[in-house]
Each structure stands twice: as C-alpha cells, then as structure tokens.
Amino acid sequence: MGTPLVDTFGRVHRDLRISVTDRCNFRCTYCMPVEGMPWLPRSELLTYEEITRLAALFVERFDFDGIRLTGGEPTVRSHLPVLIERLSRLRTSTGEPVDLALTTNGASLRLIAEDLARAGLRRINVSLDTLRRDRFLAITQRDALDAVLDGIDAALEAGLEPGKVNVVAMRGVNDDELVDFATFGRERGVIVRFIEFMPLDAQGRWTRDQVLTGDQIVEAIGRVHPLEAVAARGAEPAERYRYRDGGGEIGVIASVTHAFCGSCDRVRLTAEGQLATCLFAIDEHDLRTPLRAGADDDALAARIADAVRGKWAGHAIDQVTFIRPKRSMSQIGG
Ligand code: SAM
C-alpha cells in the first residue's frame, strides 16, 4: 500500500491533472489572446519519460487512482498515444489500472480517437461552447465546429465513454444555447456539463457579471426539461441533475458560486513540471529542477508531500480576498 497524500484540512488526494503542453490550436477569446502567448521552449517541457516517472510516484507511493491529461490542447503534442500507453501500464497498490482520461477541444479526434483508445485511454471530455458555426468561429477563431462534432462521434465510436461535453457558460456569449445543449446531450447520449466562467483568462478581462451561475443554468434547462438533483457528488466537481423523463443527465461545475474546495482531491502538474495544488494557487512547486538534477524517488516524493501538506483551504473567487493567479487556465492546465 502507498501512503495517501492528506493535507492539513484532511483532504485525501487521488487525482492528478497533467498538462502536456501550453500550446493550443484554438484561440478561445475567453482563454487566450490571438497573438502574443509566450510558448514554453521545448526543452522546458517535461519529456514523456519524466511525466511517466512523476505519475508513477503519485500512483505507486500515494495511491492516486485517476490521471487526466490536459493542456493547452493535449492532442497538439506529438505522439500522445505513446504517453497514454506508458501511463496505462501504471497500477495502483491494489493492482488496478488508473482511470486515464483526456480533456480536449475535440478537433483532432476523428484522426486519433482510435489510437488513443488502443493505447489505453478510457474516458474523454470534449470542450464545446456553442453549437452555432458562426459563433464557434467568433469564440475559437477557428472554423472547426464540424470537426469537433465529428470528433465527438469518433470518440464514442472508439469506445471512449462516457462521453462528456464541457461548456463554459458565459452571459452575453452563449447563454441563449443552454436548452440547445441540453437537447444535444439528450439526442447524442452524452453528458453535457456547464462550467461557470472563472477568472483565469490570459487577458485578465473576466468580470463577475459575465458568470452565468449554476443555479441559473439548472433553472433555465429545468423549465424546458424538468430536472432533479442526483445524490451527493463526493470529490467530483460537477453537481449532477437528471431529467425526470429518463433522458439522461447534465452536470454543473459551479466553481465560482458553489466552490467545492472542501472536497477537492486534485493536484496539477504543469507542462514544465511545476506542481500546483489548486488551479488558483499563487505558489507552484518545482519538480523539474530536482528531477533533472538526479533526485531519487524518495526526494521527489518528499517534495510532493510537502507541497500538498501546505495546500490552502480554497480559492475564495467570490470574495474580496481573492487574488488572481499569474497564469491562465491554458498555462496551468485546465
Ligand atoms: N484544450 C483542451 C480543451 O479545450 O478542453 C484542454 C485545456 S482547456 C484550458 C480546459 C477547459 O478549460 C476547457 O473546457 C475550457 O473551455 C476551460 N476554460 C478555459 N478558460 C476558462 C475560464 N476562464 N473559465 C472556465 N473554464 C475555462
């Protein structure tokens, strides 16, 4: 058995988010500027060997049972199935494979979904903020709605279930599409999850009045397709609601208005090997320098345990004490 990573608030950590790149092939207006993002030089990115070594420490020493790859856009990093294949060989202390998942914008899935599934990927989340072609172009700066919709089908065909589609709900941007998304999820058999817009845009333009709250979302959809809450969510960030007519369910990730920090079981590894214990953490913990200086597993594990011990209670977004992190969602790894 490993030793679970417990912080001073008694939270047990089991879920590792790994960003494999800070680059992205989309330029979502609420996330990244069209030009001027300072990309990391390749030499600063953890190699697949380095990522696998750190991931193995989390799984084997600290009993982590979930790994999610993200970015930037993870599919723009070459040979992603090679990394997935390596991570899929990790076993928890009870001999189980880890729950290996990917978050992607979906545009390349028709090309690689089968390779990802064959390499051992189990689950996939696709981010999609609009179902309208003109609006998709305006939000992402790419005319790729058809590719993403086809990518969702490709993922389902490759057996990457349960399919989840994540929508960042923003007032004045896509608040008129909530019911369209609900219908989309019901028809395609995917779980649509609505995420409250968070102050993590690279441009620093977020304002509180752009946040469409989880309660408003549930109310708007429930008026058309009546919903009921599904029981306690554990460490899952999404509050779940099912359609009363049995047509599936939706999720709401209310990071701003109903923060779920008290049950957070996640830590994040950035593409350049910084450990962040919260998406909004001000301090990060450098694992790459000791890794490249030849630190052994005990030394790396001690550094990880120290970082998690110092994790704060929560991010306080909706309070006056909130401090924006220096880096954007795409740089930390969403
Ligand atoms: N490129 C991948 C994707 O599109 O899913 C992974 C990285 S992306 C940063 C992860 C998720 O973060 C996406 O669903 C994106 O919409 C979301 N996101 C980015 N900026 C956000 C913000 N300020 N508030 C809420 N969600 C945000």
Side-chain angles (χ1 to χ4, degrees), residues 246-299:
E249 66 177 70
I250 61 165
V252 172
I253 302 182
S255 330
V256 178
T257 60
H258 294 181
F260 36 86
C261 307
S263 60
C264 178
D265 68 344
R266 284 171 288 287
V267 296
R268 293 166 192 275
L269 183 63
T270 69
E272 78 270 49
Q274 301 285 317
L275 184 67
T277 55
C278 171
L279 200 44
F280 295 89
I282 306 296
D283 298 322
E284 295 173 349
H285 305 265
D286 182 12
L287 297 182
R288 189 189 64 197
T289 303
L291 185 68
R292 292 193 177 168
D296 64 12
D297 284 357
D298 287 344

Side-chain angles (χ1 to χ4, degrees), residues 3 24 85 118 126 133 138 149 179 264 291 293 299 302-303 314 334:
T3 311
C24 188
E85 207 272 318
R118 209 174 301 122
V126 176
R133 188 171 171 196
L149 294 175
V179 173
C264 178
L291 185 68
R303 214 177 162 85

Side-chain angles (χ1 to χ4, degrees), residues 225-231 240-246 248-250:
H225 301 294
L227 289 163
E228 61 192 9
V230 178
R240 295 165 55 197
Y241 295 84
R242 68 176 152 242
Y243 297 110
R244 286 182 190 270
D245 67 2
E249 66 177 70
I250 61 165

Side-chain angles (χ1 to χ4, degrees), residues 6-327:
V6 186
D7 67 15
T8 52
F9 299 95
R11 293 172 295 197
V12 181
H13 294 76
R14 301 226 178 266
D15 188 15
L16 175 64
R17 306 280 160 116
I18 303 175
S19 172
V20 297
T21 178
D22 58 329
R23 294 177 193 235
C24 188
N25 47 356
F26 283 13
R27 289 291 178 280
C28 298
T29 45
Y30 61 85
C31 186
M32 264 189 198
V34 175
E35 282 179 46
M37 277 302 276
W39 304 127
L40 291 167
R42 206 184 155 80
S43 61
E44 290 196 16
L45 293 184
L46 293 185
T47 64
Y48 285 172
E49 288 77 10
E50 290 169 332
I51 292 175
T52 308
R53 176 157 173 223
L54 290 175
L57 276 177
F58 281 95
V59 173
E60 291 160 7
R61 297 236 175 175
F62 298 125
D63 280 348
F64 274 47
D65 54 15
I67 296 181
R68 174 173 293 281
L69 300 180
T70 180
E73 170 49 40
T75 61
V76 303
R77 179 122 183 214
S78 7
H79 311 299
L80 187 64
V82 171
L83 176 63
I84 296 202
E85 207 272 318
R86 287 181 190 182
L87 296 176
S88 74
R89 278 190 243 141
L90 297 176
R91 291 289 174 273
T92 64
S93 53
T94 53
E96 299 290 312
V98 287
D99 180 18
L100 197 53
L102 177 78
T103 297
T104 171
N105 64 30
S108 316
L109 285 176
R110 175 55 67 190
L111 297 175
I112 60 165
E114 267 190 34
D115 289 346
L116 297 174
R118 209 174 301 122
L121 188 69
R122 294 175 151 203
R123 297 189 296 118
I124 206 149
N125 288 359
V126 176
S127 304
L128 175 62
D129 302 321
T130 176
L131 295 167
R132 302 184 190 176
R133 188 171 171 196
D134 55 336
R135 193 175 275 177
F136 188 98
L137 175 61
I139 294 176
T140 66
Q141 320 292 315
R142 303 287 183 268
D143 187 10
L145 176 61
D146 288 345
V148 174
L149 294 175
D150 188 42
I152 293 171
D153 288 341
L156 293 171
E157 287 161 25
L160 293 168
E161 285 182 87
K164 284 191 185 133
V165 170
N166 290 338
V167 182
V168 181
M170 291 163 285
R171 192 183 303 287
V173 176
N174 57 0
D175 48 354
D176 52 350
E177 288 191 68
L178 300 176
V179 173
D180 292 350
F181 266 112
T183 306
F184 171 84
R186 287 163 63 89
E187 287 174 354
R188 297 226 180 186
V190 295
I191 298 175
V192 177
R193 304 193 313 170
F194 298 91
I195 305 174
E196 287 181 351
F197 183 33
M198 294 181 275
L200 282 173
D201 51 318
Q203 300 92 317
R205 293 203 206 117
W206 179 92
T207 55
R208 178 68 173 72
D209 59 354
Q210 293 167 289
V211 178
L212 200 59
T213 71
D215 292 345
Q216 290 165 337
I217 294 164
V218 171
E219 223 254 310
I221 294 175
R223 249 184 271 134
V224 181
H225 301 294
L227 289 163
E228 61 192 9
V230 178
R233 65 184 183 201
E236 270 292 298
E239 292 164 39
R240 295 165 55 197
Y241 295 84
R242 68 176 152 242
Y243 297 110
R244 286 182 190 270
D245 67 2
E249 66 177 70
I250 61 165
V252 172
I253 302 182
S255 330
V256 178
T257 60
H258 294 181
F260 36 86
C261 307
S263 60
C264 178
D265 68 344
R266 284 171 288 287
V267 296
R268 293 166 192 275
L269 183 63
T270 69
E272 78 270 49
Q274 301 285 317
L275 184 67
T277 55
C278 171
L279 200 44
F280 295 89
I282 306 296
D283 298 322
E284 295 173 349
H285 305 265
D286 182 12
L287 297 182
R288 189 189 64 197
T289 303
L291 185 68
R292 292 193 177 168
D296 64 12
D297 284 357
D298 287 344
L300 290 169
R303 214 177 162 85
I304 292 168
D306 272 354
V308 173
R309 217 169 289 122
K311 178 165 172 163
W312 62 15
H315 57 57
I317 296 179
D318 227 12
Q319 295 163 36
V320 284
T321 48
F322 176 66
I323 305 169
R324 260 189 88 109
K326 289 185 294 285
R327 308 211 289 164

